[in-house]
Amino acid sequence: MKIDQISLYRLKMPLKYPFETSFGRLMFKDFNVVGVHSGGQVGYAESTSLPYPVYNEETTGTVSYMLKEFLIPRLFSKQDIVHPQEVDELFSPIRRNNMAKAVLEGAVWDLYSKQNGISLARALGGKKNEIEVGVSIGIEASIDEVMAKVEKFVADGYKKIKVKIKPGFDVELIKAIRKRFGMDIPLMADANSAYTLKDIDLLKELDQYGLMMIEQPLAYDDIIEHATLQKQLQTPICLDESIHSAEDAQKAIELGSCKIINIKVGRVGGLTEAIKIHDICQQNNIPVWCGGMLEAGIGRAHNIALSSLANFTIPGDTSESNRYWEMDIINPEVAFKEPGKLCVPESSGIGYEVNEEALTKYLVEETVIKNDQVLQS
């Protein structure tokens, strides 16, 4: 394929409800959407960066800058792209900036799938026709408020309940959920790097509650101390922020730093690298699941496609569109086929159409680039 044009959209979408983690409180999603044009067709992807550098070093602004100044010119330098994996190789000399790389590479994957008349899931090697999904519950003002959400989402049929924890809002929360709902609901805790090895005794208290996993309890860039902690815990550790590449995953597995890995496309630099991590984990009997970054519909569609790969055996965070948005940017919106399950689209590309009305409604800035020249901004 020869890339004719790149469209960049910066959107700002209000969340239906505030979402809080140990990083802070989000009231809206400020993010980039990329459209890659070739031969009259367009592939789309969505950046997972946040407006400020608290999950990783990237922001909505830095992603936009990297796309315009470095990544799009490199993509235009390639006269013909046979397969999206070539984009991963093309971007490899540029250090990190994984979310910026991922959104452009993801749009090429969607375009490639459309041009070949196959679904993105099949292009990635996925075989599943449906996936099970979970839901993520942020930190609330009280345990009772979390409990009310757990009750609702269990009733809705979600196959995994993830609750955010932080120091002072952890053991008592998990204890209360287990007391109210029993040991049978699939429950995990996400710490978002809020603890240190000084908290081993506290974290060991969670062992008695039969959690599926505790996600990223220690530093965002650590795999060494997580190995020390995993030896002390019965509960499986899942690594998130620490894993940026297949090499990171291999090292973490060899060190015994975790028993599960969360794969986020933006964090690892794109779908090509995500597949590599999936394959390494599968070879080492480490289950994976697809984490969420409060994606709108385009990003959600990419996550569904990725989750169709065989080793995604744990329900991911890809909940329905109406969990977060009054109006999503795709048609149809992401909705259950039955409680806790989503269909993997069979039509070409991501399997959803862009909702132009919503795109216009949430649009903050649009830039069109062709042959390294800004045509409209």
Side-chain angles (χ1 to χ4, degrees), residues 128 131 289-290 302-310 312 316 318 344:
K128 301 174 192 172
I131 60 169
W289 56 282
C290 185
H302 279 259
N303 288 348
I304 292 170
L306 181 65
S307 298
S308 70
L309 273 66
F312 282 88
T318 310
V344 177

Side-chain angles (χ1 to χ4, degrees), residues 1-234:
M1 73 181 77
K2 177 175 172 54
I3 306 301
D4 304 319
Q5 178 178 300
I6 309 289
S7 298
L8 304 180
Y9 308 92
R10 183 164 181 168
L11 308 180
K12 189 171 182 179
M13 289 175 65
L15 287 157
K16 288 174 72 174
Y17 312 102
F19 190 87
E20 184 172 343
T21 73
S22 61
F23 297 140
R25 188 177 179 87
L26 282 175
M27 303 293 291
F28 58 87
K29 176 80 172 175
D30 176 5
F31 65 106
N32 299 292
V33 167
V34 171
V36 175
H37 303 248
S38 177
Q41 292 183 300
V42 188
Y44 290 98
E46 172 187 324
S47 172
T48 58
S49 59
L50 298 175
Y52 31 80
V54 291
Y55 175 79
N56 68 358
E57 67 276 11
E58 292 181 86
T59 69
T60 313
T62 66
V63 166
S64 180
Y65 174 79
M66 289 299 300
L67 287 169
K68 293 175 183 176
E69 297 295 323
F70 298 100
L71 298 175
I72 289 174
R74 289 189 74 85
L75 188 62
F76 279 135
S77 74
K78 184 82 169 175
Q79 293 300 310
D80 184 53
I81 297 171
V82 177
H83 194 278
Q85 290 175 349
E86 297 172 22
V87 179
D88 181 68
E89 297 170 6
L90 192 65
F91 293 165
S92 61
I94 296 176
R95 303 301 185 202
R96 300 296 283 262
N97 292 283
N98 282 353
M99 290 180 174
K101 293 177 181 178
V103 65
L104 193 50
E105 189 226 34
V108 174
W109 269 103
D110 182 35
L111 178 60
Y112 169 83
S113 304
K114 288 172 177 172
Q115 290 189 338
N116 285 275
I118 58 175
S119 69
L120 177 59
R122 298 298 176 258
L124 297 175
K127 305 292 186 185
K128 301 174 192 172
N129 296 317
E130 64 180 29
I131 60 169
E132 293 188 339
V133 296
V135 67
S136 179
I137 301 173
I139 293 168
E140 302 289 341
S142 68
I143 288 176
D144 286 343
E145 290 183 49
V146 175
M147 299 276 275
K149 292 197 171 184
V150 172
E151 184 170 23
K152 177 186 184 305
F153 294 133
V154 168
D156 288 343
Y158 282 97
K159 305 301 183 183
K160 182 191 73 185
I161 304 295
K162 177 168 85 171
V163 294
K164 300 284 187 177
I165 62 173
K166 65 179 181 179
F169 196 78
D170 39 43
V171 175
E172 290 304 313
L173 170 65
I174 301 301
K175 179 180 178 181
I177 293 172
R178 283 303 191 206
K179 182 177 180 181
R180 171 85 172 272
F181 298 98
M183 298 294 287
D184 292 334
I185 67 165
L187 181 65
M188 63 167 285
D190 184 4
N192 287 123
S193 308
Y195 299 86
T196 72
L197 284 180
K198 295 179 181 178
D199 300 307
I200 281 184
D201 289 341
L202 183 149
L203 294 170
K204 287 173 70 173
E205 288 186 54
L206 296 175
D207 280 342
Q208 63 188 297
Y209 298 111
L211 297 178
M212 299 173 72
M213 68 192 89
I214 178 169
E215 186 177 2
Q216 198 73 34
L218 307 181
Y220 74 95
D221 56 353
D222 170 75
I223 57 174
I224 303 298
E225 291 190 346
H226 276 100
T228 300
L229 178 61
Q230 183 65 90
K231 291 182 177 67
Q232 298 291 317
L233 295 183
Q234 297 173 21

